[in-house]
Amino acid sequence: MLNTNKFIAWLKLSRAPFLSVGILPFILGALLYKKIYGDFNISIFLLSCAAVVFIMLSTYLNGEYYDIKEDILSGKLNKRNKFSGGSGIRAIGIISGKYIKIVSYISIIFAICIGLLLQFYFKTGIWTIPLGVSGIIFGFFYSNPPLRWVKRGYGEILIGYCYGWLPIAVSFYLQSGFLISIISWISIPIGLSIINVILLNEFPDYEPDKIAGKTNILVRIGKKRGSRLFVYISMLQQIFVITSIIKGFPKEILFFYTPFFIISIFLIIMVLKNKNYNKKQLEFICGLNIIVNLGTTLSYILSLHYLTF
C-alpha cells in the first residue's frame, strides 16, 4: 500500500510546479516550428519533453541532496519561503538522501536514453546529443560536485541558458534539424526573466548560503548590489521584448505581455523600496516574479498566431 506521506514528500521533492518554467519554453519552440512550417511530429515532441522533465527532476533532486547544509540552516534561521531553501523534505528526514540521489541518477539515465533514441532512431540531427549534453552538464551538475555551478558566481547565467534559449532551440531543432535566428531573440527575454527568478529566490537564503560557503552571485555581490542587478535585468528584459519585435516577431505580443510588464514594473518599485528585505513581502515578490517569467513565455506562445514568414 502506498504511503501517502511519502508520496506527497516525493511530489514536494520534485518541485513539480517549477517544472513549468522549462516545459513552457519547450512548447514554445515546438509551436514556433509548427506555425512556420505546418508540420509537427508528436512522438518526437512527447519523448523530448519527457527528457527535459527528467533533466529538471535530476537537477532539483541534486539540489535537495547537495544543499542539505544550507537547507537545514534556512530552517533554523527561519529564512525559508515557498520559493527558496529547497523543499525541506530531506532536512526533516522524511526521505533518505540515498534514495534522493538514486532517483536523481535514474532520471538522468532516462533522459540520456531518450536522447539516444531521438538521435539514432528518429534521426533528429547531429546536434541532438550535443544540445542535450549541454543541458545535462549545466543542469545535473548545477548542485552536483565537482562542477557545482551554483557556487561559482555564474550559475545563474547557465540557468538563463537552460531555461531560455536551450529548450526553445532544442524543441525547434528536433522537429526541423536546423535553427533560425528568431529563436535567439525571443529566448533572451525569457532567459533574463528566469535569471531574475533565481536571483530573487537567493535573497531568503542569503545568510544560510553565506554561512555554508555557497558562493552564488548574491553572496558574492551582496544584497544591495543584488537588488540593483535585479532592476537592471528587469529593464533589460523589457528592452529585448521590443528587440524581438524589431527582429521580426509580431507586435501583437505587446498586448499579451502588457499585464506582465505592469507586474515587472511593480516588482522594480518594490525592490527599489527595499521590500525584498521583508520576509513576508519577499515571498509575495518571489511569487509575482515567477509569474513574470511564465507570463513572458506564454505571451510569445499566444502571439505565434500572428507570426508570418
Side-chain angles (χ1 to χ4, degrees):
M1 183 176 177
L2 181 64
N3 186 314
T4 305
N5 289 335
K6 287 286 180 72
F7 177 73
I8 293 173
W10 277 109
L11 277 180
K12 289 182 178 179
L13 276 171
S14 71
R15 311 301 293 270
F18 296 99
L19 295 174
S20 59
V21 299
I23 293 172
L24 268 185
F26 197 81
I27 291 172
L28 171 58
L31 292 179
L32 176 64
Y33 172 79
K34 188 176 188 303
K35 173 61 180 177
I36 297 174
Y37 299 102
D39 192 16
F40 186 77
N41 188 315
I42 189 66
S43 297
I44 288 176
F45 172 75
L46 292 177
L47 277 171
S48 52
C49 191
V52 170
V53 170
F54 282 129
I55 293 172
M56 285 191 291
L57 280 175
S58 181
T59 300
Y60 298 160
L61 292 173
N62 271 334
E64 296 285 339
Y65 182 85
Y66 288 104
D67 292 346
I68 183 64
K69 184 177 179 181
E70 297 92 314
D71 292 350
I72 291 174
L73 282 169
S74 184
K76 285 182 178 179
L77 298 175
N78 194 29
K79 297 294 183 179
R80 188 187 309 279
N81 74 24
K82 294 177 182 178
F83 308 100
S84 68
S87 68
I89 295 299
R90 189 190 173 200
I92 59 178
I94 297 179
I95 303 289
S96 167
K98 176 179 70 174
Y99 295 115
I100 293 172
K101 194 170 185 180
I102 288 172
V103 175
S104 171
Y105 276 94
I106 291 173
S107 296
I108 212 67
I109 289 170
F110 281 161
I112 292 170
C113 290
I114 291 172
L116 293 172
L117 183 65
L118 290 168
Q119 172 81 76
F120 297 109
Y121 179 78
F122 287 95
K123 302 187 184 303
T124 48
I126 60 173
W127 288 100
T128 298
I129 290 179
L131 287 169
V133 167
S134 74
I136 290 172
I137 290 174
F138 296 143
F140 182 76
F141 289 103
Y142 185 71
S143 299
N144 201 339
L147 300 178
R148 194 158 164 75
W149 307 114
V150 70
K151 67 174 293 183
R152 297 185 180 274
Y154 50 80
E156 295 82 357
I157 296 173
L158 298 181
I159 289 293
Y161 165 80
C162 289
Y163 287 86
W165 184 85
L166 186 62
I168 301 171
V170 166
S171 186
F172 186 95
Y173 179 81
L174 293 176
Q175 296 288 334
S176 65
F178 57 87
L179 295 173
I180 57 176
S181 62
I182 194 66
I183 291 170
S184 295
W185 294 114
I186 66 177
S187 70
I188 294 174
I190 296 169
L192 289 171
S193 69
I194 195 63
I195 289 173
N196 255 357
V197 167
I198 300 300
L199 177 61
L200 204 57
N201 286 355
E202 289 172 353
F203 272 80
D205 294 333
Y206 177 77
E207 283 79 13
D209 287 347
K210 193 171 183 179
I211 294 169
K214 186 177 179 180
T215 49
N216 54 40
I217 192 169
L218 187 66
V219 170
R220 288 171 182 265
I221 67 176
K223 288 186 175 181
K224 187 175 181 180
R225 290 180 181 175
S227 296
R228 290 203 296 265
L229 181 60
F230 173 86
V231 171
Y232 296 149
I233 292 174
S234 295
M235 295 170 66
L236 199 59
Q237 181 193 349
Q238 320 310 335
I239 291 171
F240 273 104
V241 169
I242 300 299
T243 303
S244 69
I245 297 172
I246 295 171
K247 294 297 181 177
F249 203 81
K251 64 181 181 301
E252 283 80 5
I253 188 179
L254 295 177
F255 171 77
F256 297 106
Y257 181 67
T258 295
F260 308 107
F261 170 75
I262 293 170
I263 294 173
S264 182
I265 296 300
F266 173 74
L267 292 176
I268 289 174
I269 294 170
M270 293 286 280
V271 170
L272 287 175
K273 289 183 175 181
N274 295 323
K275 300 299 183 181
N276 53 316
Y277 285 75
N278 178 284
K279 181 183 177 181
K280 187 174 181 180
Q281 290 180 324
L282 177 57
E283 186 171 63
F284 174 66
I285 293 170
C286 286
L288 286 180
N289 199 30
I290 292 176
I291 290 174
V292 170
N293 168 256
L294 295 175
T296 301
T297 309
L298 185 61
S299 297
Y300 277 106
I301 291 174
L302 294 174
S303 305
L304 285 175
H305 173 73
Y306 302 96
L307 181 64
T308 55
F309 264 78

